[in-house]
Amino acid sequence: MVVDFYREESDCKIRMEEGEETVFDWSVEDVVRWLRRRGFGDLVDTFSEMLVDGDLLLQLSEKDLKECLGVKNGIVRKRLWREMRKLMRNVDYSFGEGESMAQFLRNISSELVEYTHRLVTFGLTKQYMDTLAIEDVDNALKQAGVDNLAHRYKIKQALRTKPEKVEEYDVYLSYVETSKTLASLVEIYLKMRGLVVFKDLRESTKISEQSLTKIDRSTSFVVVLPTLDTVDDVAKEEFIHAVNAGVNIIPVVEEDFQLLEGGSSVDLAREMVEGRMVVRWIHEYQEASIDKLVDMVRRHSGGWMNHIQFSKIRSVSLDSGIESML
């Protein structure tokens, strides 16, 4: 069996010509042949006696060369270690269990790929290291042969940096301050039905940027309006942002809600409900009310159009001409 080492150094796949075996599968004789080709014939006997095959070769560290294989000459040891590191980085890890580990290390720094086989052989997958405390990760890396302090630091920092989880919501629940009680009731019912709901706590008279972002990440914008059609500044800002963001808007109104004439607040309330499917919350039939609200939210999430005709819908003639549901 002859090893092909006449390829360009940039060739990332170092394989045996016959059978296309990876370095993991090199025999002791293959390792000896590699040593001779690299100019380390004097070390052949030592590596042969210690039965260093391809799998073991990829697990060695510079410290092992000195303490376990007796490579005392510092210059020779550094030359050999340089060739070994080059070999470790160029191995085709897609043919073994180290593919995900190699990719993880490569994303940190290409020079760290040399530790792939060592870490996998030691049982240190990324998933496992994610479960360990940072101090335990450091100890495990040292035991696996990552002797370089800077390299251990880079790996630990990468494990510390978790991808930001983007929260998404089924419903952003907006309300007028005077409808706060009904809004809390609606929130409870929606959550009981398994929907993910965000409701601003109204700790300020101005809406926060965080709340605006949550509207963008919501499927539906449910606005709860009181008996009197007044709209406060926060609800106004939330509604305008939801319209501009293209979020599905579902008004929920009190049982005796009605539109009055005149005033900017009244005009905005009219805009909130006019031409939209509206859930009229009737306390005597609140289970039916929440059924319709949940149905509207889920059907929109599934790509249904807002004008779908639902069962048990009652159209009530109001001044605005809006439709409402039981």
Side-chain angles (χ1 to χ4, degrees):
M1 187 179 295
V2 180
V3 186
D4 179 12
F5 287 108
Y6 294 98
R7 300 183 183 185
E8 295 292 331
E9 292 294 344
S10 61
D11 186 351
C12 66
K13 296 183 178 181
I14 301 180
R15 301 179 183 175
M16 310 299 292
E17 281 186 343
E18 184 180 331
E20 294 197 339
E21 298 169 316
T22 62
V23 178
F24 313 111
D25 300 315
W26 283 6
S27 65
V28 175
E29 290 74 20
D30 296 324
V31 172
V32 165
R33 190 177 295 111
W34 177 79
L35 287 170
R36 287 195 174 117
R37 286 181 177 274
R38 286 296 183 263
F40 300 103
D42 292 343
L43 301 177
V44 165
D45 290 343
T46 301
F47 275 69
S48 296
E49 290 172 6
M50 300 300 293
L51 301 178
V52 178
D53 56 12
D55 178 72
L56 186 54
L57 182 68
L58 293 175
Q59 298 180 52
L60 295 177
S61 65
E62 185 177 9
K63 183 179 179 181
D64 293 329
L65 293 179
K66 180 180 180 180
E67 298 182 358
C68 301
L69 292 167
V71 185
K72 303 297 183 182
N73 188 301
I75 300 299
V76 173
R77 187 172 62 250
K78 289 186 181 298
R79 283 180 47 235
L80 176 56
W81 179 237
R82 181 180 62 191
E83 294 297 330
M84 288 173 59
R85 291 181 68 191
K86 191 182 300 181
L87 180 68
M88 293 171 181
R89 293 175 190 174
N90 289 338
V91 168
D92 183 2
Y93 290 104
S94 65
F95 284 80
E97 297 178 355
E99 182 175 6
S100 59
M101 175 57 71
Q103 187 60 52
F104 167 66
L105 296 173
R106 190 177 291 110
N107 289 339
I108 304 171
S109 174
S110 60
E111 65 179 351
L112 298 182
V113 178
E114 66 189 65
Y115 297 114
T116 299
H117 191 63
R118 238 174 292 173
L119 295 182
V120 172
T121 302
F122 199 75
L124 290 182
T125 63
K126 182 183 181 301
Q127 290 75 14
Y128 175 66
M129 289 192 288
D130 279 333
T131 67
L132 301 177
I134 291 299
E135 297 77 14
D136 294 331
V137 171
D138 189 73
N139 290 331
L141 289 174
K142 284 192 288 187
Q143 291 178 29
V146 185
D147 299 322
N148 188 298
L149 180 62
H151 290 175
R152 292 203 306 274
Y153 176 79
K154 288 182 179 181
I155 295 173
K156 289 186 295 182
Q157 285 299 105
L159 291 170
R160 283 179 184 271
T161 306
K162 307 293 183 182
E164 183 181 355
K165 183 180 180 180
V166 177
E167 293 182 296
E168 295 183 348
Y169 304 89
D170 296 306
V171 172
Y172 183 99
L173 188 59
S174 177
Y175 58 97
V176 176
E177 192 61 35
T178 52
S179 65
K180 186 174 183 179
T181 301
L182 177 55
S184 297
L185 183 61
V186 171
E187 179 187 17
I188 292 171
Y189 272 103
L190 289 174
K191 289 182 176 179
M192 287 175 62
R193 299 298 180 89
L195 296 176
V196 181
V197 181
F198 176 82
K199 180 166 75 73
D200 190 29
L201 297 178
R202 295 292 180 87
E203 296 176 343
S204 171
T205 56
K206 293 184 178 181
I207 189 170
S208 66
E209 287 295 327
Q210 183 182 28
S211 293
L212 294 179
T213 300
K214 292 184 184 297
I215 292 175
D216 294 334
R217 294 175 179 172
S218 300
T219 300
S220 294
F221 176 86
V222 175
V223 55
V224 181
L225 298 174
T227 300
L228 297 177
D229 53 1
T230 54
V231 179
D232 57 39
D233 290 341
V234 175
K236 175 182 177 181
E237 288 186 59
E238 289 175 334
F239 173 74
I240 292 174
H241 187 83
V243 171
N244 293 333
V247 179
N248 180 42
I249 297 175
I250 308 173
V252 175
V253 300
E254 291 274 12
E255 182 176 355
D256 50 356
F257 173 85
Q258 59 181 324
L259 290 171
L260 303 177
E261 294 295 332
S264 59
S265 176
V266 173
D267 290 341
L268 182 59
R270 185 180 297 274
E271 184 182 349
M272 285 182 171
V273 298
E274 197 163 31
R276 304 184 190 281
M277 300 295 290
V278 178
V279 176
R280 185 180 291 278
W281 192 274
I282 300 177
H283 290 278
E284 185 179 356
Y285 302 105
Q286 61 185 16
E287 284 289 342
S289 299
I290 195 64
D291 283 345
K292 294 309 164 187
L293 178 56
V294 170
D295 203 14
M296 292 176 74
V297 171
R298 286 183 172 160
R299 285 177 181 255
H300 182 83
S301 300
W304 292 71
M305 299 299 292
N306 291 339
H307 63 265
I308 286 180
Q309 297 300 311
F310 300 102
S311 61
K312 299 181 183 179
I313 295 179
R314 183 182 71 181
S315 294
V316 179
S317 177
L318 301 177
D319 290 341
S320 63
I322 62 174
E323 294 182 333
S324 61
M325 297 185 195
L326 285 177

